[in-house]
Amino acid sequence: MKFDPNAMNYVFSTEQEITAEEKSQLRQQLLANAFKPIAGDRSSLMKSITAAAFFTVFLVAIIAAVSTGHVLIAAFIFGLMFFIGGVVMLISGTQDTYTADRNNLRPKQNALFVLLFGVLIMSAPLLIFYVSRNDSSLSTGNIIVLLVGGCFALAGGFFVISEIAGLVKSSKGFGDETEGECIGYVRCFHTTNKNHHTTLVTSPVYEYYYEGQRLQAIGNENYIGTPPIAVGEHRIINVDPKDPYAIFEQNENRRKAPTIIGILFPLVFVIVGLALIWYGATQHIEPVNSSVTDGKSSITDSYVQNKFGLGVNDWSIAEYTVVNATEESDGSWLLELSNGTYRTDSDGSIKNSHNIGYRFYELTDSSGKPLASFACDKWKYDGSNECISYE
C-alpha cells in the first residue's frame, strides 16, 4: 500500500517504541478522522454522502418490506444491496484505507466476493417464490439448506484463498525481489470487538527502488507492540509487478501454527458448506411447520407441495364448522358441516372430530376430492390460495 505522509487515519513515526504523545494523537484521530481514505479529494465527501443515501434507501426498503409481511422481498433487497456494492467496486475499484483489516486479495477479488454473496442471498427468495407457485422437486427447506451451505462454502473459500495468497506473497515465489529499508512505522487503532475495545497495531514503512523509481510503501505485516524491525534495517521484499506499491516482506520464520489454523478453520467451513449443498440438492427436506404468535402450526404452500406433491393451482382450502353429528349403525359418524354438506369418518380423516362446534380446514385437490383436514385449534392457514370460511 502506498505510503502517504499526509494521511489522517494513522500516525507515522520513526520511533520503534510508541511514545505517549503518539498514543494521545492516535486516540484523537481515532475519534475525529480514523479510517478515512488515504487519497482524499473534493469528491470524497460527495461519494460518502451518496453511499450513505443509498444505504439509507435500502435500509428503509428492507424495514418497510418486513413490516408489511413481505419477507422474501426484504431478503431480495438485502442481497441486491451487496450485489450493487460489488458491481460498483468492480467498475470503480476501491480506495485504499489503512484499518489493519487488510486481507491478501486484490480489490477486484474482494469486489467479486461481495457480488457473489449478493447473488447468493438474492437467489433464495427467488427460488422460494418460484417453488411456491410451480411444481418443483425443491422445497423451502431444501432452498434454506442450499443457501446456508452456499454461505459457508463462499465465506470459507474466501478466507482459505486469502490465507494461501498471503503465504505465497510472503515467500520468494511471489513478485520481484528487491531490498527495502525500514524508514519508520505507521500506527493506528484497530477495533477488535463490539465493545469497541481497540488494539494498537504497527506496520513498517519501506523505501525501495523498483524499475528505476524510488518508492515508499506500507508493509504487509501488522504487529501488536514493538515491531521486530528497526529503522534503517534492510529486508528482502517482494514487489507485485501489477502494483509496485503492493509489497510483501519475505518471512522464512512465519509462525506455522496460526497459518495452519488460518487455513484449516475456514476449510472446515468449506467442507460443511459443500456437505450442506449436497444434502440440499439430493435429499427431500420436509419443511418445519413455522410457529405463529398463537402457538399454532402453519399450513404453507411449500408444506402442501412437499406433503402431497401439489402445486399452488392444484388444490384449494376451506374452513368448516361441524353443526350436527349423527352416529350411524356401523359406529361411524355422519357430520353436517356449516356449508350444508356432509362428511363421514369412514377413511379416518375426521375420526374423533364429531363434536358440534368443531372447526377445521379441509384440503381438496383440483377435482374436489378431500385430501386432509387440519384442526383450527392447532393449525393456521398461511398460504397464497384463497381460504373460504363457512361459519
Side-chain angles (χ1 to χ4, degrees):
M1 182 183 299
K2 183 177 181 180
F3 168 63
D4 181 1
N6 298 316
M8 299 297 292
N9 59 312
Y10 55 69
V11 168
F12 175 73
S13 173
T14 56
E15 299 293 332
Q16 195 168 4
E17 295 282 350
I18 187 171
T19 65
E21 181 181 354
E22 289 174 350
K23 188 174 293 186
S24 174
Q25 184 180 356
L26 271 170
R27 291 192 180 279
Q28 293 176 5
Q29 291 184 354
L30 178 67
L31 297 175
N33 301 299
F35 312 143
K36 286 187 177 179
I38 292 177
D41 53 34
R42 292 183 178 180
S43 65
S44 297
L45 179 60
M46 183 57 65
K47 290 178 181 178
S48 299
I49 293 175
T50 303
F54 271 107
F55 178 78
T56 302
V57 170
F58 276 106
L59 183 61
V60 171
I62 291 173
I63 294 175
V66 172
S67 62
T68 55
H70 297 88
V71 179
L72 294 183
I73 295 178
F76 181 83
I77 295 173
F78 181 71
L80 183 63
M81 180 172 62
F82 284 93
F83 177 79
I84 293 178
V87 171
V88 172
M89 291 169 65
L90 281 174
I91 295 175
S92 63
T94 55
Q95 284 186 302
D96 281 337
T97 58
Y98 189 74
T99 64
D101 287 328
R102 296 171 295 165
N103 57 50
N104 297 300
L105 301 181
R106 300 179 186 277
K108 298 294 185 182
Q109 294 168 330
N110 291 310
L112 183 61
F113 169 78
V114 174
L115 187 150
L116 290 176
F117 183 77
V119 171
L120 189 65
I121 297 299
M122 285 192 298
S123 64
L126 290 176
L127 282 173
I128 293 174
F129 180 80
Y130 173 81
V131 167
S132 66
R133 283 160 174 76
N134 298 275
D135 293 334
S136 174
S137 59
L138 285 178
S139 69
T140 302
N142 288 89
I143 294 172
I144 292 174
V145 171
L146 288 171
L147 173 63
V148 173
C151 289
F152 269 76
L154 182 63
F158 174 79
F159 288 110
V160 167
I161 294 172
S162 176
E163 187 67 23
I164 293 176
L167 284 175
V168 174
K169 291 177 179 179
S170 62
S171 69
K172 294 182 180 180
F174 172 80
D176 300 325
E177 284 190 9
T178 188
E179 185 178 88
E181 178 186 355
C182 177
I183 61 172
Y185 317 93
V186 294
R187 294 187 171 99
C188 76
F189 279 109
H190 167 46
T191 302
T192 56
N193 56 41
K194 295 180 180 179
N195 297 325
H196 302 290
H197 174 71
T198 54
T199 301
L200 181 65
V201 294
T202 300
S203 293
V205 177
Y206 292 96
E207 183 176 275
Y208 54 98
Y209 287 87
Y210 184 72
E211 295 185 345
Q213 292 183 309
R214 183 174 67 90
L215 306 174
Q216 294 178 340
I218 302 171
N220 66 305
E221 298 293 315
N222 295 320
Y223 299 104
I224 298 175
T226 303
I229 180 173
V231 172
E233 188 175 341
H234 290 74
R235 293 282 178 90
I236 300 298
I237 59 176
N238 296 110
V239 182
D240 186 349
K242 296 181 180 180
D243 181 5
Y245 289 103
I247 62 172
F248 301 87
E249 178 191 347
Q250 287 189 10
N251 189 349
E252 298 285 352
N253 300 317
R254 185 173 182 178
R255 292 176 299 171
K256 294 183 178 180
T259 299
I260 292 174
I261 294 174
I263 293 177
L264 290 182
F265 185 72
L267 192 60
V268 172
F269 275 66
V270 175
I271 295 173
V272 171
L274 293 177
L276 289 173
I277 291 173
W278 172 84
Y279 186 79
T282 61
Q283 305 297 314
H284 181 71
I285 304 173
E286 285 285 351
V288 177
N289 300 320
S290 57
S291 297
V292 293
T293 54
D294 55 6
K296 299 178 183 179
S297 297
S298 296
I299 306 171
T300 62
D301 296 339
S302 59
Y303 176 83
V304 176
Q305 163 72 30
N306 288 295
K307 192 171 182 64
F308 303 102
L310 298 175
V312 175
N313 298 323
D314 299 329
W315 57 274
S316 59
I317 191 169
E319 182 181 351
Y320 302 93
T321 302
V322 177
V323 296
N324 196 14
T326 305
E327 186 175 7
E328 302 291 286
S329 58
D330 60 357
S332 63
W333 286 82
L334 181 67
L335 308 180
E336 182 182 356
L337 306 184
S338 50
N339 68 335
T341 61
Y342 295 85
R343 299 289 187 275
T344 65
D345 67 347
S346 57
D347 61 355
S349 61
I350 50 177
K351 187 177 180 180
N352 299 324
S353 59
H354 51 269
N355 294 327
I356 297 175
Y358 171 78
R359 296 178 61 80
F360 65 96
Y361 295 104
E362 185 176 73
L363 188 70
T364 57
D365 63 17
S366 56
S367 65
K369 177 183 176 181
L371 297 174
S373 62
F374 303 86
C376 290
D377 59 345
K378 296 180 179 179
W379 294 80
K380 182 175 182 179
Y381 178 62
D382 189 20
S384 58
N385 283 338
E386 180 185 1
C387 181
I388 300 175
S389 178
Y390 296 100
E391 298 293 338

